[in-house]
């Protein structure tokens, strides 16, 4: 850890301590001591422990939102967009597993000034998924009887629960898990899973 930039050392130390002892169980003094810095070094990078907690929350939410925006702008069809969003969303739980664990444990302690921008990004992410589902229905790619809101919240809720059971050392890689999620979700929403565009994203049946 000593080779890392000071800001990264502080974040890594805080993640470990918050996850183990809780936000209120950890002082700035302890973060300073265990990250091998000084109070001056801490306050040069973060104006408070609250801002540090905000950064831990913000980094993975910003990543998920950016990837969803890139998927929407980078692919021409709702099917391709939804597939790309699900893929990147699932991978967040590997890239930022400690951040997400701390988020679910400690998010209630975010002060309003920090909670508001986090909630705005979460809402924006949700609305991108709603838009893709709505446009998929309108384009005839997704089942017409679907509720946009229920379908979107089901996808978000299902993928969010990954933080509870995902094991980086488990038998499946995060890429394989993402493929399972995408396959499951597309089979649920597609009007005709056999169409050539959709078929590119679905798992192949196991050989008998």
């Amino acid at each position: 850890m000593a080779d890392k930039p000071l800001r990264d050392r502080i974040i890594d130390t805080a993640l470990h301590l918050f996850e183990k002892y809780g936000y209120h169980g950890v002082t700035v003094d302890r973060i300073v001591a265990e990250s091998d810095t000084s109070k001056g070094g801490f306050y040069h990078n973060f104006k408070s422990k609250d801002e540090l907690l905000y950064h831990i929350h913000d980094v993975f939410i910003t990543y998920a939102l950016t990837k969803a925006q890139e998927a929407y702008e980078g692919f021409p069809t709702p099917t391709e967009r939804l597939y790309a969003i699900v893929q990147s969303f699932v991978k967040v739980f590997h890239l930022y597993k400690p951040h997400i664990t701390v988020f679910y444990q400690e998010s209630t302690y975010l002060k309003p000034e920090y909670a508001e921008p986090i909630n705005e990004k979460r809402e924006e992410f949700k609305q991108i998924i709603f838009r893709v589902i709505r446009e998929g229905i309108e384009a005839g790619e997704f089942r017409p009887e679907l509720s946009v809101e229920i379908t979107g919240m089901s996808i978000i809720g299902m993928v969010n629960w990954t933080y509870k059971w995902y094991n980086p050392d488990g038998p499946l890689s995060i890429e394989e898990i993402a493929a399972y999620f995408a396959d499951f979700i597309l089979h649920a929403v597609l009007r005709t899973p056999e169409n050539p565009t959709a078929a590119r994203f679905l798992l192949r049946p196991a050989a008998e």
Side-chain angles (χ1 to χ4, degrees), residues 66-102:
T66 299
K67 289 296 182 181
Q69 291 168 333
E70 289 174 354
Y72 189 86
E73 294 166 3
F75 293 95
T77 69
T79 298
E80 292 170 296
R81 287 169 174 167
L82 184 60
Y83 176 85
I85 290 170
V86 170
Q87 287 277 305
S88 62
F89 188 17
V90 173
K91 290 176 183 177
V92 167
F93 294 86
H94 176 77
L95 294 170
Y96 296 105
K97 190 174 189 296
H99 299 68
I100 294 168
T101 300
V102 169

Side-chain angles (χ1 to χ4, degrees), residues 2-43:
D3 295 333
K4 287 188 173 183
L6 177 57
R7 183 180 176 87
D8 291 342
R9 293 209 316 268
I10 293 170
I11 293 168
D12 289 348
T13 300
L15 279 168
H16 170 73
L17 293 173
F18 290 165
E19 192 171 3
K20 188 171 183 179
Y21 300 108
Y23 179 70
H24 286 301
V26 179
T27 63
V28 169
D29 286 340
R30 185 163 188 179
I31 296 170
V32 165
E34 297 205 19
S35 60
D36 193 25
T37 184
S38 64
K39 277 198 171 179
F42 180 93
Y43 288 113

Side-chain angles (χ1 to χ4, degrees), residues 170-187:
L172 296 179
S173 68
I174 195 65
E175 289 79 14
E176 290 172 312
I177 293 170
Y180 269 94
F181 269 109
D183 179 84
F184 185 82
I185 290 167
L186 288 180
H187 269 107

Side-chain angles (χ1 to χ4, degrees), residues 126-199:
K126 181 180 76 175
Q127 291 302 326
I128 291 174
I129 291 181
F130 284 4
R131 189 187 318 151
V132 170
I133 295 168
R134 187 178 299 111
E135 291 174 355
I137 293 170
E138 292 170 354
E141 295 181 25
F142 299 167
R143 292 161 48 199
E145 73 274 17
L146 292 177
S147 160
V148 170
E149 290 75 15
I150 293 175
T151 303
M153 294 308 296
S154 296
I155 293 170
I156 293 169
M158 181 170 59
V159 177
N160 269 337
W161 199 246
T162 303
Y163 95 96
K164 273 291 195 180
W165 55 262
Y166 172 61
N167 177 6
D169 299 318
L172 296 179
S173 68
I174 195 65
E175 289 79 14
E176 290 172 312
I177 293 170
Y180 269 94
F181 269 109
D183 179 84
F184 185 82
I185 290 167
L186 288 180
H187 269 107
V189 303
L190 287 170
R191 189 169 187 171
T192 53
E194 297 78 15
N195 75 64
T197 300

